[in-house]
Amino acid sequence: MPDILAQYPHLQEALYATTWHNSLLLSFILDFCFAFVAGFGFAYGLNPLKRTLLWSALFAGLGYDIRLALMQIPVFSFVGASFCASLCISLLAIVVAKRVKTPIEVIVFPSLLPMFPGSYGYKSILSLLTFVQQTNDKARLEYLFIFFDNFTIMFSVSLALVAGTLIVLSIFYEQSFMMTRGIKKFSVRDH
């Protein structure tokens, strides 16, 4: 790799420019790509129809970027931005679900999984395990505070993700039953 970069000094300057290291645009692109891959993996693991895989992955990346964009505004917190991103994904999924004739949940739920705050859950379990092992009361209290802080963030963001989806699903309750109309029904003899 260094030999290739030595041949193209302009490419080397472009790759190592400071604008790429602290760029919000690069952050949006990378987060979209990683969330896209994660959303595709979660959707593929649930074994849906093939026509919904890319939609779930696309909405995962889009939702992650919506949350990142809203968190740049001082009004939104991590929880509020997650709620709004979940709401946006669910509203978009209604339009797409009707076109691909699939239930809304098949598209929405794999899209939300990359936004789940797993690092906070991991940190809360680690701090709880460390709390149990400590003998010093001051250290125990500190790890207990860390546990409740991380657990509260994880729980509230998870609740916001679910609430955003449930609001849309409850508003469009009747339409959710009509999404699969027009699909040819298969029987055992058709296979």
Side-chain angles (χ1 to χ4, degrees), residues 167-182:
I167 287 173
V168 172
L169 288 177
S170 63
I171 291 172
F172 296 100
Y173 181 72
E174 294 294 324
Q175 287 84 359
S176 66
F177 291 114
M178 294 185 272
M179 294 296 175
T180 57
R181 286 195 179 167

Side-chain angles (χ1 to χ4, degrees), residues 134-167:
Q134 292 295 321
T135 57
N136 185 2
D137 287 339
K138 185 177 179 182
R140 287 174 61 93
L141 187 61
E142 182 180 335
Y143 283 112
L144 190 63
F145 283 144
I146 293 171
F147 165 74
F148 280 116
D149 186 40
N150 288 323
F151 182 78
T152 304
I153 292 171
M154 180 199 65
F155 183 74
S156 57
V157 170
S158 301
L159 192 64
L161 289 172
V162 171
T165 302
L166 286 179
I167 287 173

Side-chain angles (χ1 to χ4, degrees), residues 70 73-77:
L70 289 175
I73 302 171
V75 175
F76 287 99
S77 65

Side-chain angles (χ1 to χ4, degrees), residues 22-90:
N22 295 324
S23 173
L24 188 60
L25 178 64
L26 181 65
S27 179
F28 276 108
I29 293 169
L30 287 176
D31 285 348
F32 180 86
C33 292
F34 289 134
F36 183 90
V37 170
F40 187 84
F42 285 128
Y44 189 78
L46 296 174
N47 198 17
L49 300 171
K50 290 181 183 175
R51 61 182 179 254
T52 63
L53 283 174
L54 287 178
W55 287 111
S56 294
L58 180 70
F59 288 156
L62 188 64
Y64 211 91
D65 277 352
I66 289 171
R67 181 171 74 176
L68 181 63
L70 289 175
M71 286 175 57
Q72 302 304 314
I73 302 171
V75 175
F76 287 99
S77 65
F78 190 36
V79 177
S82 297
F83 174 76
C84 291
S86 172
L87 202 64
C88 291
I89 288 174
S90 300

